[in-house]
Amino acid sequence: MSGTALIAGVSGIVGNNLARHLVATGFTVHGLARRPPTDIDGVAPVAADLLDPESLRAALAELRPAYVFITTWLRQETEAENIRVNAAMVRNLLDAVRPAGSVRHVALVTGLKHYLGPFEAYGKGMLPATPFREEQGRLDIENFYYAQEDEVFAAAERQKFGWSVHRPHTIIGYALGNAMNMGVTLAAYATLCRETGRPFRFPGSAAQWSGLTDMTDARLLARHLTWAATTPEARNEAFNVVNGDVFRWSWMWGRLAAWFGLEAAPFDGEPNPLESQMAGAGPLWAEIADRHGLIEPDLARVASAWHTDADLGRPIEVVTDMSKSRRLGFLDYQATDDAFFDLFARLRAARVIP
């Protein structure tokens, strides 16, 4: 495969892994972010703000991407603000690449909040039956994912490109300073527990502890994005994207504990949120980082406890159907426990955790 790709959000979990995959498969890759990383071999950094249309147009004026991947968003205080800001980011980006007339495909990464609702109403009220399937309609509630989709659909109509929408479950992957990062957050939490002797407690709900769930490895998502962008049968379709296995946290928690040399604390049936458990742990993390020579002493750039609490605190079982992708030929699979272990090993090798 080959072609010129532009990744918006290259510094995040999805963008970082996608960039590496595209380079490895022969693409010319431009990575856009306000502060794009410079450590991904083969990726040309593009420094631009998606909320500044003039500077964005200037930064992209010389580029002619055939494939545009939108893998970023900005969290706001309310869903109304989420809609205003994140729709504008998509609109500004697609307006900026329009003059080149080169775009053949735009891929948008959203997630299961398409079915669950936004954070303000996360997993509440009337919800579609699980497993979630792509043909299930939108909820009758404001949701910035829907606004992002509508911007892509409108631009596709104007500019005559194909599109795909990708709905992963919680993503496991390497990135620091990311707003939604369960794997790195749990690694930081386990490190704090090991260093202090605190019990390694499951922070979430009884429904999550006992119910079936699934997750998405960022590497698998990168392959899925590339497949959809280059497969004619996947044009103008929305897809769920998960690893292909299911598990219960009552099984997974002990496996994560064992990787860090910990005993998993018994679950008492009550949520024990990480935001509470990790509150005030910043100075301790800085001390651990200094003692072990870690690269990031700021716990806030390593852990996103609020997001992990939102996922693990849901009062319902959440599983996702992948049949649509399978029928069209995407057959990749990733064991979720191995996805965690691979991430933890990478974090240790990069001196993010001791």
Side-chain angles (χ1 to χ4, degrees):
M1 289 183 286
S2 65
T4 300
L6 172 65
I7 302 171
V10 71
S11 58
I13 295 176
V14 179
N16 186 299
N17 283 272
L18 175 61
R20 296 176 190 276
H21 175 69
L22 289 174
V23 168
T25 51
F27 283 79
T28 299
V29 181
H30 301 272
L32 187 154
R34 284 176 293 178
R35 292 177 294 277
T38 57
D39 62 344
I40 307 177
D41 291 342
V43 176
V46 179
D49 186 341
L50 292 172
L51 291 173
D52 185 345
E54 290 300 324
S55 67
L56 185 60
R57 280 193 288 270
L60 299 178
E62 302 302 317
L63 301 187
R64 296 184 58 82
Y67 305 96
V68 176
F69 299 92
I70 305 172
T71 69
T72 187
W73 71 290
L74 286 175
R75 189 187 185 200
Q76 306 299 309
E77 290 296 320
T78 66
E79 193 60 18
E81 278 297 291
N82 275 332
I83 290 169
R84 183 185 67 82
V85 169
N86 290 284
M89 290 166 60
V90 174
R91 183 169 60 253
N92 292 342
L93 175 65
L94 298 181
D95 283 348
V97 297
R98 183 178 185 179
S102 59
V103 177
R104 300 205 302 265
H105 189 94
V106 172
L108 172 68
V109 179
T110 60
L112 295 195
K113 287 190 293 296
H114 183 94
Y115 309 107
L116 288 162
F119 286 117
E120 293 173 4
Y122 202 34
K124 300 174 184 176
M126 295 296 294
L127 294 167
T130 57
F132 295 140
R133 294 180 173 86
E134 294 91 343
E135 64 266 22
Q136 293 169 223
R138 293 179 175 184
L139 300 175
D140 187 19
I141 189 171
E142 288 191 328
N143 190 325
F144 81 87
Y145 282 172
Y146 305 160
Q148 287 183 308
E149 286 184 345
D150 288 342
E151 293 292 345
V152 171
F153 300 158
E157 183 67 23
R158 290 191 304 268
Q159 297 167 232
K160 307 305 178 187
F161 56 70
W163 54 265
S164 56
V165 175
H166 303 255
R167 300 171 186 159
H169 199 165
T170 304
I171 299 170
I172 307 169
Y174 181 89
L176 299 183
N178 188 269
M180 302 193 300
N181 201 332
M182 180 188 286
V184 184
T185 297
L186 292 180
Y189 172 56
T191 298
L192 289 168
C193 289
R194 190 180 62 201
E195 294 284 325
T196 62
R198 299 178 191 174
F200 186 61
R201 298 184 182 279
F202 180 70
S205 68
Q208 286 297 299
W209 178 257
S210 301
L212 290 173
T213 193
D214 47 30
M215 294 184 74
T216 305
D217 188 303
R219 299 166 299 182
L220 182 139
L221 177 54
R223 298 194 296 273
H224 191 271
L225 283 158
T226 307
W227 165 79
T230 56
T231 300
E233 293 79 9
R235 181 183 173 96
N236 299 346
E237 296 286 352
F239 295 102
N240 296 328
V241 194
V242 288
N243 287 339
D245 63 352
V246 295
F247 64 92
R248 303 180 199 276
W249 280 106
S250 57
W251 174 82
M252 184 69 77
W253 198 248
R255 294 182 67 76
L256 302 189
W259 197 94
F260 288 94
L262 296 168
E263 290 288 335
F267 179 59
D268 63 8
E270 294 297 324
N272 197 344
L274 289 182
E275 278 202 299
S276 299
Q277 292 195 59
M278 299 174 73
L284 174 58
W285 183 264
E287 177 188 322
I288 293 169
D290 181 64
R291 183 166 8 110
H292 292 281
L294 305 184
I295 63 171
E296 182 50 74
D298 183 357
L299 181 60
R301 282 190 49 78
V302 177
S304 52
W306 68 270
H307 179 259
T308 298
D309 285 339
D311 272 0
L312 296 183
R314 290 182 300 217
I316 58 172
E317 180 178 88
V318 176
V319 287
T320 314
D321 186 78
M322 274 282 284
S323 297
K324 186 175 183 180
S325 292
R326 305 301 189 215
R327 291 190 192 101
L328 293 177
F330 184 82
L331 304 177
D332 287 25
Y333 165 86
Q334 170 65 55
T336 299
D337 52 346
D338 286 341
F340 273 118
F341 301 155
D342 289 350
L343 172 62
F344 297 158
R346 182 175 177 188
L347 293 173
R348 182 168 285 173
R351 292 186 295 114
V352 177
I353 60 173

